[in-house]
């Protein structure tokens, strides 16, 4: 157990670290050159344009701005909740409420715990004999471990456990009720959305002699005669989407070489084609990439024709639209067919929220996938050390020397060698932890969920299990998760809470340090945005030519619920477990919540751009996890007290988890339907209001373009290509060409050869760019490759 | 471990026992006097009338019928499935399918196990060295214990475990698919039923200035404008129902004394009124009961007025009817209100299936009740020995002597004393086990389910847990459930499967005996119907005066799913656990299934009268329990093999439970919706067909009387009392009165005083009887006291 002094040193280091990050942030954010890194959301929301603060001056020279390094804080607090919902959506606002919930739960708990439990613990028991001259040198003195075994003072801890649990449940109930209300209000006050009228239908059976569209049409016309409006078939454009991605990559290289050539017009960039540029014949890079893009264009055109004309490209999935919210609500909530594996209906996610790749997975396959992934997650959580240890055993110095003998001279230098020997084993683990969220996301995708929001929620829940086992339990019971699993099977169940309970107070210092490193410094790092900053400037240097390119180079990112929810939930767990045991940990958590709240509020206002809106669909998960934390805290306290010979007080604890479970069940049935279903009352009310205010509304026209995939717009554009007006950029590139003509006469012949080609390319690339921009507002293309195309079939 | 000889003795005793029961049955069933005990269903179905077989002759004198003591068997097989569904309903037919499923699963398993496993076990391993002269004297030799530890022959057992699991799953899949199809077909081919158009709405919010009916009316007219037809409010007639029950009891006494007087007209029956007839003034019993009934009648009349006129008597529950099955299906499956605890809609159970008492429980109370009951069930399963031990400690001879000193002389007799000392301790346990199903049923009622079928299913599931823990685990791990619970907490989890696994083969003989006693002899007892036989004859002797009374005295009972499903599931568990371990147990189970199938088929055809039809709603439970049995069998085999040092084969077992779980999940999503929801496709199809065949059908009139509670009919009758024609019975009682007048002149004054009274009583009682009969066809009044009255409010 560390002394307060050790902890002070650690706190000092971390506070200094966080301070440096904040200072750096204060300096960097006021540089106009970084404006797009630190305020991308304002650009996207059109609250800031490219000439803001004078883009010509790259560096801020106003010295007094440097001194106000916390000047972002008032800015982070400026919007009220309604404005913030309007600015960033309900998801972001409710996400921020998790932090305020943390504050609301833990501030009163901290006050009570510090006032009551610390004196009880320090005095080793009776409040009356409290010595004034006690030295607060040891964390242990402040924790429950200081109370002598068998003491009656454990009744005070027991009372506190009840008090804290009731308080937490009370706040949870209030918050759930608030969030549910906000969600319903948000949905009710939302302007007309296509997803309110649309139901996604999966596993449409194949009927011979009928096309899928005909089958759907017939089925819904028969079973929902009064409300069925139309349907939009989904085309399988997987291959086409791949080609688009490839073209984008080639286009980036072409841009890079063109810019290089523009800057050094005396030398045309050349390179080798094969083997990462090491072998193959030397070619002119600009010509080479142009040729490859043009070839790709041809393939894309033929693929496009194939998608549009081949009846086999239609997937057994459809977006069915209804003439009222009531009709859609009814269809989404009822079973359609006798065979419950066919005609599965569900709410259509928002158009930007659809994960197209998973739309066509059949029911049987889904059931296998989910099962296999749950086994895989279990294996990942408990056995992830095995492959890492394997990689570590391979990636030692001898191994590297064997594979690549030429690096031996460098490795054999003593300084390098010792550095590598210390660094390599950790590298595999670091790398693993870095890519873990992506791996979990891929797993969730394999599970077959059809919306990005649900994918993110699934990822969050997988990540939570990982953190719970490997961070929380892993730190408390020293040893790998695999060893824990072994002991879970081989120790009596009554022993496990004891093992954990005894270890919990001893690990308090570790978790305080963890909170400071991961919480305080980590959050300060979040606001600094090192990675997007570097990438933005790299892109700016090598690819960006126009203002539009610059906009594309911005990477606002989003809240990253998949990673952030689990760590937040971990803090709740730590706070609840330690509230009774070592209450001195609570201030650290409070500081984290307050600081993180400010930072994330700032980021949500200025940086993040949510891709979709799920209307706080993640809240039930947050609620359940906090309840789970409560239960874990009860079990640990039970284990701890049972080793403390507190025979009278311990059995009284048994009611606490029971009451908590009941509370959870009640909340679940009371509030969860608001997140899963859409009440008919609500739907009917909105239908009526709309009908009263816009009696002549033509829903068919409104819904016609709703679920059209961006790629389909691309198709249309391809066909209208002749009429597209060329953009500024093309003028610029023409200028460029003229410069090129004037300055390099030796490559003139080649140039003329590719002239027509080049124009064509430019045109299509500008068109592509237009498309991309369109896509940007709809959905981030990196995360959700557009794989299916809508063929719109609203019926007359 | 018992030898085969011991087992043979036990088998002999039980077979003789079963044989005696069957013989008794053969004798008793052909006595015309018992006809209503052994063929009540035929009377109810009007396939047999009271003059069948000549009711005058009480005893069958045709000797040759006595020799055909198995003559009921062909009769039990005579109907085919379709006829049986028509005769007894789908529930009964699907219940019988559980037995055939048992046969289908275990017959092939038995053949394979006996052919493969027995030789392997007997030879202690290799099939090739199989000695011909081995003596089958020891059950142990036939079980897996005979194989030497560490032997490779365990691979054969492993293979068999896989084979048996796959076979079981295959049969389960086929059966689930069959039953789901049968259910859908049954529902589709059912004639028009009120419950198809009706939805039960609970937790209707109270709106001030509106009555409940108005609120309901307004809500559904607004949110289901196209399909809402009308609603039937529910009145709280709890007190009235109690009065009805009390009157029925008094009436029985009155009947008894009247009959007594009729048989011995020289002596009017008298008795004392207070303290169980020990103290109080002596009165004429007939007059006394008549007076009390007349007093009760007045109270009933005033209560009736109260129910009909008091607006507070209307419950926040309503049966809402729609103009189509589609409309009802939509309303039942969707969420209505923003607040998910209000306007809860669900399928209305069949009118006969409604459990009226539970209709008005509010949501919050429901959530507490379910939680408390689940704790209570846990306590009951694990701690039921505690109160019994307490009662046992009280109910010793000294205690009895202290409380009732006057019995001391009898108790002190040596024979009596030793008998009581041996008998008393067991008495509490026996009594507890006898009333257990009723206790569990009461618990289920407290949980607040609104239909009798769901109550029965809940009872079955509680009883299953009790059997699993106290019969299966309790027999394997010797000791009370409480001790088991202790060891579950204090032994390592890996130890528990071992403890069970090791004990399983040793307990094979016990379970064989159990199957013979509980299965074979128990089933033979079921066909004999001792209790209904005795009660029928008692009633016949003391109360029955008319043919209608005789009909009321018949007690056909029903299948008693609450008790029978769990014991059936226990046999599946035994079969699956022992299939690999001690396959010699399988023939006993096969015999049980075959014999029980015949018996229950006979009873279903001739005796049981199902009160309601749930269309096999219990099947998902049966399926899950068999899956659970499979998993338990895997765990025990795993534990057993791990003690057998079969290090190579044991780990391969791990996939078996995983695959089983996946299979279960798949089946659940594939078939369970057929049991929980009503597909819109189906509803629409039936609506159309009906519309085509009966275009002028007036649904309002059809539904008008659908959910009227029998008590409401009573109200109507009360009002029409003046017009009711008096029945035969009244004439009879008038004759009686005349006789009375003629013979006893000393009571003449009294008689005259009660004359008018008496007429009134007779009239109302005959009217009551008519009502009772009506009730009988609707619902058994003992089990479902009519507590709510419908006020019919179909709107114009």
């Amino acid at each position: 157990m560390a002394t307060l002094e050790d902890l002070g040193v650690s706190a000092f280091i971390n506070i200094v670290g966080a301070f440096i990050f904040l200072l750096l942030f204060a300096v960097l954010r006021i540089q106009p050159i970084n404006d797009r890194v630190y305020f991308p959301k304002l650009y996207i929301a059109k609250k800031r344009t490219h000439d803001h603060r004078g883009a010509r001056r790259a560096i801020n020279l106003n010295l007094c701005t440097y001194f106000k390094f916390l000047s972002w804080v008032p800015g982070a607090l400026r919007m009220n909740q309604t404005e913030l919902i309007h600015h960033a959506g309900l998801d972001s606002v409710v996400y921020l409420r998790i932090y305020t919930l943390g504050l609301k739960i833990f501030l009163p708990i901290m006050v009570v715990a510090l006032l009551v439990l610390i004196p009880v613990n320090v005095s080793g028991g009776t409040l009356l004999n409290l010595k004034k001259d006690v030295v607060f040198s040891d964390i242990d003195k402040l924790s429950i471990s200081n109370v002598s075994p068998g003491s009656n003072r454990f009744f005070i801890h027991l009372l506190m456990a009840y008090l804290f649990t009731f308080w937490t449940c009370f706040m949870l109930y209030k918050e759930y009720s608030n969030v549910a209300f906000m969600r319903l209000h948000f949905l009710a006050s939302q302007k007309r959305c296509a997803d309110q009228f649309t139901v996604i239908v999966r596993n449409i059976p194949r009927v011979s002699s009928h096309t899928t569209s005909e089958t759907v049409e017939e089925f819904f016309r028969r079973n929902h005669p009064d409300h069925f409006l139309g349907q939009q078939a989904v085309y399988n454009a997987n291959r086409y989407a791949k080609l688009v991605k490839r073209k984008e990559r080639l286009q980036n290289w072409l841009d890079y070489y063109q810019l290089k050539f523009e800057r050094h017009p005396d030398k045309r960039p050349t390179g080798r084609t094969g083997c990462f540029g090491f072998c193959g014949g030397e070619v002119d890079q600009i010509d080479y990439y142009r040729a490859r893009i043009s070839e790709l264009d041809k393939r894309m055109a033929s693929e496009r024709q194939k998608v549009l004309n081949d009846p086999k490209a239609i997937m057994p999935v459809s977006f069915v639209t209804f003439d009222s919210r009531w009709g859609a609500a009814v269809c989404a909530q009822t079973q359609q067919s006798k065979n419950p594996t066919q005609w599965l209906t569900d709410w259509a996610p928002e158009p930007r929220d659809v994960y197209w790749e998973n739309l066509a997975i059949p029911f049987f396959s889904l059931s296998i996938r989910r099962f296999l992934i749950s086994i895989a997650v279990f294996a990942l959580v408990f056995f992830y050390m095995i492959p890492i240890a394997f990689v570590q055993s391979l990636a030692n110095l001898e191994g590297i020397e064997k594979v690549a003998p030429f690096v031996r001279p460098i490795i054999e230098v003593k300084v390098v060698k010792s550095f590598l020997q210390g660094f390599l084993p950790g590298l595999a683990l670091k790398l693993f932890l870095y890519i873990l969220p992506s791996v979990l996301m891929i797993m969730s995708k394999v599970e077959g969920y059809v919306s990005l929001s649900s994918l993110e929620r699934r990822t969050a829940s997988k990540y939570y299990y990982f953190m719970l086992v490997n961070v929380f339990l892993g730190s408390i019971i020293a040893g790998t998760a695999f060893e824990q699993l072994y002991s879970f099977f081989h120790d009596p169940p009554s022993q496990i809470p004891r093992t954990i309970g005894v270890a919990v107070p001893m690990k308090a210092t570790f978790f305080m340090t963890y909170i400071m490193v991961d919480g305080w410094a980590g959050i300060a790092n979040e606001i600094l945005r090192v990675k997007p900053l570097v990438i933005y400037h790299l892109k700016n240097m090598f690819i960006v030519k126009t203002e539009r390119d610059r906009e594309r180079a911005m990477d606002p990112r989003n809240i990253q619920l998949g990673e952030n929810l689990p760590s937040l939930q971990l803090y709740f767990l730590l706070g609840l477990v330690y509230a009774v045991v070592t209450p001195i940990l609570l201030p650290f958590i409070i500081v984290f919540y307050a600081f993180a709240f400010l930072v994330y509020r700032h980021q949500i206002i200025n940086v993040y751009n949510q891709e979709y809106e799920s209307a706080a669909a993640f809240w039930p998960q947050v609620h359940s996890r906090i309840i789970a934390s409560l239960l874990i805290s009860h079990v640990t306290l039970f284990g701890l007290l049972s080793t403390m010979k507190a025979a009278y007080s311990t059995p009284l604890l048994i009611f606490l988890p029971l009451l908590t479970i009941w509370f959870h069940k009640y909340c679940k049935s009371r509030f969860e339907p608001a997140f899963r279903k859409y009440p008919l009352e609500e739907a009917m009310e909105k239908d009526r209001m709309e009908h009263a205010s816009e009696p002549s509304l033509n829903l068919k026209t409104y819904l016609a373009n709703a679920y059209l995939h961006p790629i389909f717009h691309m198709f249309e554009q391809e066909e209208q290509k002749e009429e597209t007006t060329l953009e500024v950029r093309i003028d610029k590139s023409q200028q460029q060409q003229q410069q090129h003509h004037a300055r390099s006469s030796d490559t003139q012949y080649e140039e003329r050869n590719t002239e027509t080609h080049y124009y064509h390319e430019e045109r299509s690339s500008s068109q592509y760019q237009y498309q991309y921009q369109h896509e940007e507002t709809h959905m981030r293309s990196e995360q959700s490759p557009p794989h299916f195309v809508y063929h719109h079939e609203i019926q007359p």
Side-chain angles (χ1 to χ4, degrees), chain A residues 378-389:
Chain A
F378 181 84
L380 184 73
V381 168
F382 284 97
F383 305 108
Y384 79 97
M385 282 310 294
I386 295 175
I388 287 175

Side-chain angles (χ1 to χ4, degrees), chain A residues 587-608:
Chain A
F588 291 83
I589 286 183
I590 300 274
V591 169
F592 163 76
Y593 278 121
F595 183 45
F597 172 71
L598 287 176
V599 167
Y600 274 97
R601 208 166 198 279
H602 173 266
Q603 301 292 81
I604 281 169
I605 292 176
N606 297 310
V607 182
Y608 300 145

